[in-house]
Amino acid sequence: RGYSEEDIEQALADREPAPFPLHADNAQAWRLFTGSLTQGRYGPMGGFLGLDYAGVEAAARLSGIAVTPALFAEVQLMEAEAIKALAER
């Protein structure tokens, strides 16, 4: 017997994290951070080391996001928290 479409949809819904509030002031940094996640650098054991900033700059340019020092600092803060969270896994 296979799984019904309802079973599959429920299983997928259970895997998705609950949405979280995103303050409007952080929206652009979040957009750039999430748009740059494919630009991650990983160590030999597979651990996340951080973002490749040249790739982040390219992602910003191609997404039409003007990077200011303040915006870059916000992205770096998100990066630091991601490194911490992934290291705890």
Side-chain angles (χ1 to χ4, degrees):
R1 149 184 148 99
Y3 291 101
S4 71
E5 283 190 44
E6 287 179 14
D7 291 337
I8 294 170
E9 287 176 21
Q10 184 62 48
L12 291 173
D14 291 345
R15 287 182 36 197
E16 293 185 21
F20 58 91
L22 179 64
H23 194 278
D25 290 346
N26 299 321
Q28 191 141 8
W30 180 252
R31 184 172 157 227
L32 180 54
F33 179 72
T34 58
S36 300
L37 289 177
T38 58
Q39 303 304 313
R41 296 289 185 173
Y42 297 86
M45 301 298 285
F48 181 64
L49 301 176
L51 295 170
D52 176 346
Y53 294 151
V56 173
E57 184 177 30
R61 185 172 23 84
L62 293 169
S63 299
I65 298 173
V67 179
T68 63
L71 178 62
F72 185 63
E74 289 179 52
V75 170
Q76 285 185 304
L77 180 60
M78 291 178 187
E79 173 191 33
E81 290 300 316
I83 290 168
K84 258 195 312 193
L86 291 171
E88 292 173 359
R89 289 177 133 188

